[in-house]
Amino acid sequence: MPEIEYQVEMNHIYKSFEGVVALHDVSFSVKPGEIHALVGENGAGKSTLIRILSGALQPDQGEIKIRGEKVNITKPDDGIKHGISVIYQEFALFPHISVAENIFIDEVRAYNGFINWKDIKQRAKAFLEELGFGFIDVNARVMDLSVAYQQVIEICKALTRNASVLVLDEPTAVLTTKEVERLFALLQNLKSKDVAIIYVSHRLDEIFRITDRITVLKDGKFVKTLETSSIDAHQLVNLMIGRELSDYFPPRKSNIGEVVLSVEHIRSGRAVKDISFNVREGEVLGLSGLVGAGRTEAMRAIFGVDKLDDGKVTLYGREIKIKSPEHAYRLGIGLLPENRKTQGVLLRMPILHNITLSCLKMFCKLGWINKKQEYQIASNLSKELAVKTASLFNRVASLSGGNQQKVAIAKLLASKCKVLILDEPTRGVDVGAKIEIFKIINSMVEKKCAVIMISSEMTEIIGMCDRAVVIREGRSVGELQKNELTELNLIKYSMGVNDHAIKN
Amino acid sequence: MQSKTENKSGERQKAVIGIQNRSIGSILMRHNASFILIVLCIVSTIISPLFLTKGNVFNLLRQQSTYMIISIGMLTVMLTGGIDLSVSSIAAIGSIMAAIPLKDWGYDTGLGLVSAIAIGVGCCVIIGAINGFLVSYLNMPAFIVTLATSFSIQGVAFILTNGAPILLDFTQHSSSIIIKFGEACDPIFGIPYPVILAAVVVIVFYFIMSYTSFGRLVTAIGSNETAAYLAGINVKRYKFWVYVISGLLSGIAGIIILARAGSATPLTTASDYNLSSIAGVVIGGCSLTGGEGTVGYTVIGVLVIAVLGNIMNLMSLAVYPQMMVKGLIIVLAVLLRSMTSKSMAG
């Protein structure tokens, strides 16, 4: 077989979603036997690129070459056929069946009458032994294994498909330190077998430890590919950010007053370990951090959706225990959920009914809705927020993403909440609508509301917030005042890079 | 995940392109139950000259009064995305529990009659509350819960009656009133009393569903339960009450059944109220996942099934072939509904 330089090449990939550019002329290649890191901020386009490689998405333009030959990957099966296996954070395993069956699921699925269990178990055992995990019982149910071993099973499954390119999406996010070591040993093992490994991670220390080369993406654009040994953490961070603060944040005049809501050392479920912060009247508090750091979960716990296991929440100095979202609304706390379509709006209902959903009581007498008053309130709000629609009786589904989000925000405003929790308020809306949403947020704080804004876009946190708290792995790890709000600081805290690594 | 999003955006694009040629089609779809009803009425008139006679129409409406009332209860449940498969059994228990005081406990005054009805309907409300509690507060699937309670109640109905019908005593004061209610017509327009009662229920629920916060929020919950919950709505409370309402209305229907037959039989548990009311609601445009549907269209949906049954009666089709045809037509109607709702989805 002739020597090939690259196992996989992606050349000049373009991809946009409904007019929003996700990837713009990105090129990227991985050598066999190399661990290649793919880094960038949230939304830089890493996931999109990987999904294109796996066949889950189609590029608008560009080509993919496997071992120097141009290939067409139009569906995930094609990706697997060409030896590309992606291991996502959510494993694609069948929890109720055995390890051996999971590893050879393709054979089990394609069975033609009989399965040679003995053979499958033996081969599964051989596979695991080869990777140094011979102690995993092939008869065990996958659900009984720890997350780390489930990941090993995923990798084994990929290898049965003769994977020559293995993509790991944040593989260590769910692992303990010890498990991470095991994974790294496994990756070194695979590397020596000439598997090309694409490693997506936010953890800089890991990237410097195990990868050979690094490709940096920023805002959907290719920045640079370089040898890991040729750069340090500070330079890498600069490559990842290094962007002018956009000037699309409208100015606001607000007087910051007393503390309204204060949260101390809350703990909830597995995602929220120890989070504290407070928010004042007329202030926008940012909650920054990586996706999955526990910000949304913390808000859910405060809002009464999930159980609060420990900690104290006080509103205007009085301790409160919120039992349900209904209770939260009664106390004047409103939430704009993270996922607009499934949580934020009722797509099949009219705009009017969406806006007044949370505040029906205000114009109801004995349950009877005063429709005139209802229409008045909704129509004033929709004018104020500039919701673009011909009629308030149209379904929300007929609106664009940005306008749907405005309807969801109008719902909070209609119910006259004093504390507003906005979870990714600008996700999936275009730039124009973003600016309008920022203006709405400004007018809210000018009316003395306290706003908590979760955002994964650092520019947004920097441009909009008076103060920000950074959450990392379920803990609040730092508070940054307005003058300290820089991307460098936010990244430093959210990724846990120590000062030493980042100093000039 | 991402590929799904992409597919959806593709569909949306198609939907946007299809907007122009959808207008006539969408009117037809939105009002398909009305069109079906009109066509059925025309066909029926052609087939049988008896169809449009006052006697037949009143008879049809009288027969349908129970279906109508039960369907309104079913609508409230289905709007939340639930289902109630115990309505037949609840109606049976309602009639039996009203008949027992009248027959066996000697309730033979006017007040006795009121108490008997209260006992009958009250039992139904309690069963509805049990359904509601299990579905809403204990988060159990409505399908299983109501099927199971239905089965239990069926057993209770047979135990209470020893399997035989309870015949009301015509000579008794209270029984004679209720039987008269089932048979007679009002003195002014000659409309049967059960039809008037059904009309009152329909009108009351028309206002409840379109003018009160209850109606609005029930629809909102069916439209998107998570979003409604996060918007501060006490989802469990509303999901509980719709089953209570379904129980209440089934109980009222049970009283009408008792009045019309002059007897209460456990065989009512095995009647077609479940299927017919679900079919009526769905033909009337209620989505099986909830969030869509109105009282007005439910009335039309019920009438579609009613006219269908009536014309087969007028053609003197035997009962079993009737069942066969009715079942097939319901499947067709629901199929049509699910096809149109798919193409309507934005």
Side-chain angles (χ1 to χ4, degrees):
Chain A
M1 199 188 285
E3 268 304 298
I4 45 142
E5 191 183 0
Y6 293 116
Q7 184 68 38
V8 56
E9 289 169 80
M10 299 180 79
N11 295 326
H12 308 291
I13 304 286
Y14 287 81
K15 176 77 190 171
S16 53
F17 297 104
E18 294 171 47
V20 179
V21 176
L23 290 175
H24 183 89
D25 194 9
V26 172
S27 298
F28 167 66
S29 51
V30 191
K31 297 172 189 164
E34 169 189 56
I35 302 182
H36 194 124
L38 195 56
V39 300
E41 286 182 80
N42 296 330
K46 294 168 303 199
S47 302
T48 313
L49 193 62
I50 286 172
R51 291 198 156 98
I52 288 174
L53 182 61
S54 74
L57 285 179
Q58 303 309 307
D60 297 339
Q61 266 183 57
E63 57 166 18
I64 300 174
K65 283 185 180 171
I66 304 283
R67 303 175 76 87
E69 271 174 48
K70 188 164 186 275
V71 292
N72 239 339
I73 300 179
T74 53
K75 53 183 190 292
D77 278 355
D78 294 345
I80 291 169
K81 214 170 64 200
H82 289 295
I84 297 161
S85 267
V86 181
I87 300 189
Y88 293 106
Q89 284 176 42
E90 299 86 20
F91 304 137
L93 295 172
F94 297 90
H96 296 281
I97 64 174
S98 76
V99 167
E101 285 167 280
N102 265 289
I103 293 178
F104 289 101
I105 192 72
D106 292 346
E107 286 180 31
V108 174
R109 204 162 49 176
Y111 91 121
N112 39 15
F114 296 97
I115 300 168
N116 188 343
W117 292 112
K118 215 173 147 190
D119 175 53
I120 279 187
K121 279 179 190 165
Q122 264 169 11
R123 276 158 57 210
K125 186 130 191 76
F127 245 113
L128 286 167
E129 265 163 12
E130 199 184 328
L131 297 176
F133 290 88
F135 51 85
I136 297 179
D137 179 8
V138 292
N139 295 312
R141 286 190 301 179
V142 161
M143 61 188 290
D144 296 330
L145 299 182
S146 75
V147 183
Y149 292 145
Q150 290 183 13
Q151 199 172 43
V152 171
I153 305 303
E154 266 285 37
I155 294 173
C156 275
K157 189 172 86 184
L159 296 177
T160 66
R161 293 168 171 170
N162 291 320
S164 51
V165 181
L166 190 63
V167 185
L168 297 156
D169 189 3
E170 292 277 351
T172 57
V174 287
L175 303 186
T176 64
T177 327
K178 219 164 144 190
E179 291 167 343
V180 170
E181 293 304 322
R182 284 220 184 89
L183 174 72
F184 285 178
L186 173 57
L187 293 184
Q188 295 295 351
N189 188 352
L190 294 175
K191 189 178 153 179
S192 67
K193 292 186 167 70
D194 266 359
V195 176
I197 297 168
I198 300 170
Y199 192 88
V200 180
S201 180
H202 282 298
R203 299 191 176 173
L204 298 184
D205 50 337
E206 291 174 1
I207 289 168
F208 281 99
R209 227 188 97 189
I210 64 157
T211 67
D212 303 305
R213 291 195 302 156
I214 303 173
T215 291
V216 183
L217 297 183
K218 190 183 73 190
D219 298 337
K221 293 193 185 97
F222 171 79
V223 177
K224 217 172 192 177
T225 296
L226 26 76
E227 298 287 326
T228 308
S229 54
S230 70
I231 123 173
D232 63 23
H234 174 62
Q235 287 166 323
L236 183 59
V237 167
N238 269 343
L239 281 178
M240 285 162 64
I241 50 174
R243 156 167 33 113
E244 291 307 309
L245 186 63
S246 323
D247 56 355
Y248 55 62
F249 297 102
R252 69 166 172 265
K253 290 177 288 205
S254 71
N255 295 317
I256 297 178
E258 293 296 300
V259 171
V260 178
L261 181 79
S262 142
V263 171
E264 288 165 51
H265 304 294
I266 59 162
R267 191 163 60 78
S268 164
R270 288 201 311 190
V272 181
K273 288 165 189 153
D274 179 7
I275 291 178
S276 305
F277 62 85
N278 61 52
V279 59
R280 294 162 186 277
E281 193 180 282
E283 179 186 50
V284 179
L285 174 78
L287 285 189
S288 185
L290 300 172
V291 172
R295 298 167 300 173
T296 298
E297 290 78 2
M299 291 307 116
R300 284 169 64 91
I302 294 168
F303 199 62
V305 179
D306 295 336
K307 198 170 162 282
L308 200 59
D309 296 326
D310 201 6
K312 206 166 114 180
V313 180
T314 50
L315 184 69
Y316 293 109
R318 252 197 22 235
E319 185 168 351
I320 52 170
K321 288 210 166 19
I322 298 175
K323 295 190 276 297
S324 65
E326 187 200 8
H327 188 193
Y329 267 96
R330 275 210 306 273
L331 292 167
I333 301 173
L335 170 75
L336 179 76
E338 184 184 20
N339 190 325
R340 181 179 66 237
K341 284 188 178 158
T342 61
Q343 305 172 325
V345 290
L346 307 170
L347 285 171
R348 289 183 292 163
M349 286 186 83
I351 297 163
L352 172 68
H353 296 181
N354 265 275
I355 294 179
T356 56
L357 184 62
S358 302
C359 65
L360 271 180
K361 271 188 204 128
M362 280 157 50
F363 38 82
C364 268
K365 251 189 203 147
L366 298 169
W368 199 266
I369 302 169
N370 183 337
K371 291 205 168 184
K372 217 170 144 189
Q373 204 184 346
E374 179 190 19
Y375 187 84
Q376 198 60 46
I377 289 176
S379 115
N380 286 346
L381 269 169
S382 88
K383 265 181 216 138
E384 194 183 322
L385 306 194
V387 178
K388 286 181 200 76
T389 177
S391 157
L392 287 183
F393 294 100
N394 287 346
R395 291 176 173 207
V396 171
S398 70
L399 300 175
S400 69
N403 281 299
Q404 289 181 3
Q405 190 70 315
K406 285 190 213 161
V407 170
I409 296 174
K411 182 176 68 192
L412 298 187
L413 298 186
S415 57
K416 299 212 165 26
C417 293
K418 293 309 282 176
V419 180
L420 297 150
I421 303 171
L422 311 177
D423 196 348
E424 303 280 4
T426 64
R427 175 174 289 174
V429 308
D430 59 64
V431 178
K434 265 187 193 178
I435 297 172
E436 289 182 52
I437 289 171
F438 293 144
K439 282 186 184 151
I440 296 167
I441 295 174
N442 282 350
S443 76
M444 288 179 197
V445 290
E446 278 162 13
K447 285 177 195 147
K448 302 196 168 194
C449 285
V451 174
I452 299 169
M453 181 170 96
I454 297 179
S455 176
S456 296
E457 288 186 37
M458 296 187 192
T459 45
E460 220 170 87
I461 296 275
I462 295 165
M464 284 301 294
C465 299
D466 297 301
R467 201 154 51 91
V469 168
V470 183
I471 312 286
R472 186 178 76 233
E473 289 164 17
R475 294 168 205 282
S476 39
V477 290
E479 186 182 315
L480 298 165
Q481 302 300 324
K482 183 89 193 165
N483 56 1
E484 299 169 312
L485 278 176
T486 62
E487 298 212 8
L488 195 65
N489 276 336
L490 287 172
I491 287 201
K492 202 169 88 179
Y493 280 109
S494 58
M495 293 192 183
V497 183
N498 54 24
D499 273 324
H500 178 69
I502 221 146
K503 225 171 258 165
N504 290 331
Chain B
M1 272 306 282
Q2 204 71 337
S3 71
K4 250 190 217 164
T5 338
E6 201 191 30
N7 285 344
K8 262 187 200 155
S9 74
E11 275 166 24
R12 194 176 317 138
Q13 267 169 359
K14 273 179 225 154
V16 170
I17 296 160
I19 272 176
Q20 295 90 339
N21 58 28
R22 218 174 61 177
S23 49
I24 297 171
S26 77
I27 293 172
L28 267 170
M29 280 169 197
R30 188 153 299 188
H31 302 281
N32 70 29
S34 323
F35 283 110
I36 293 172
L37 182 61
I38 292 167
V39 170
L40 269 179
C41 286
I42 294 171
V43 170
S44 306
T45 320
I46 295 167
I47 290 177
S48 165
L50 286 176
F51 178 74
L52 267 188
T53 57
K54 185 180 169 190
N56 183 53
V57 170
F58 277 172
N59 187 34
L60 183 151
L61 291 175
R62 194 199 322 240
Q63 275 171 8
Q64 290 308 312
S65 56
T66 48
Y67 287 93
M68 196 68 84
I69 292 172
I70 287 177
S71 297
I72 297 297
M74 186 66 84
L75 170 72
T76 60
V77 172
M78 287 182 68
L79 272 176
T80 65
I83 200 156
D84 189 346
L85 299 177
S86 61
V87 289
S88 303
S89 299
I90 297 182
I93 270 298
S95 63
I96 290 167
M97 287 308 294
I100 288 175
L102 292 175
K103 179 79 189 296
D104 300 343
W105 303 350
Y107 281 29
D108 66 351
T109 59
L111 184 67
L113 177 64
V114 172
S115 321
I117 291 174
I119 290 170
V121 175
C123 288
C124 298
V125 168
I126 291 168
I127 297 164
I130 293 170
N131 280 337
F133 178 76
L134 294 173
V135 171
S136 167
Y137 290 97
L138 298 189
N139 251 327
M140 292 166 70
F143 171 67
I144 302 292
V145 165
T146 56
L147 198 56
T149 47
S150 173
F151 196 61
S152 294
I153 301 163
Q154 204 168 354
V156 172
F158 277 93
I159 293 169
L160 287 174
T161 57
N162 289 321
I166 301 174
L167 298 171
L168 293 185
D169 183 358
F170 283 67
T171 57
Q172 217 182 23
H173 179 57
S174 56
S175 296
S176 69
I177 298 176
I178 191 168
I179 289 165
K180 208 168 155 198
F181 170 82
E183 278 180 347
C185 299
D186 92 292
I188 306 165
F189 297 106
I191 303 168
Y193 286 115
V195 176
I196 296 175
L197 181 56
V200 168
V201 168
V202 165
I203 291 167
V204 166
F205 274 86
Y206 168 75
F207 281 106
I208 288 180
M209 298 318 284
S210 34
Y211 287 91
T212 68
S213 57
F214 177 84
R216 175 75 59 78
L217 296 179
V218 162
T219 314
I221 288 167
S223 181
N224 183 340
E225 191 172 328
T226 314
Y229 172 69
L230 289 174
I233 287 159
N234 192 334
V235 170
K236 286 189 191 302
R237 185 200 295 157
Y238 290 95
K239 279 175 80 176
F240 170 77
W241 280 106
V242 292
Y243 289 92
V244 176
I245 287 174
S246 181
L248 168 75
L249 293 183
S250 302
I252 292 175
I255 303 298
I256 297 179
I257 294 169
L258 174 67
R260 289 192 52 218
S263 67
T265 154
L267 294 176
T268 308
T269 56
S271 57
D272 67 336
Y273 286 109
N274 289 342
L275 179 64
S276 292
S277 61
I278 292 169
V281 170
V282 172
I283 291 172
C286 183
S287 150
L288 281 168
T289 52
E292 272 170 288
T294 62
V295 171
Y297 280 116
T298 300
V299 170
I300 290 172
V302 173
L303 287 178
V304 166
I305 294 177
V307 171
L308 206 65
N310 185 252
I311 192 64
M312 287 193 288
N313 276 338
L314 291 178
M315 289 163 70
S316 27
L317 218 59
V319 175
Y320 297 126
Q322 272 201 32
M323 285 167 68
M324 206 177 77
V325 173
K326 208 167 160 184
L328 278 176
I329 296 222
I330 289 172
V331 169
L332 277 178
V334 175
L335 180 72
L336 183 71
R337 167 66 200 156
S338 71
M339 273 159 52
T340 54
S341 72
K342 240 177 247 163
S343 63
M344 292 277 285

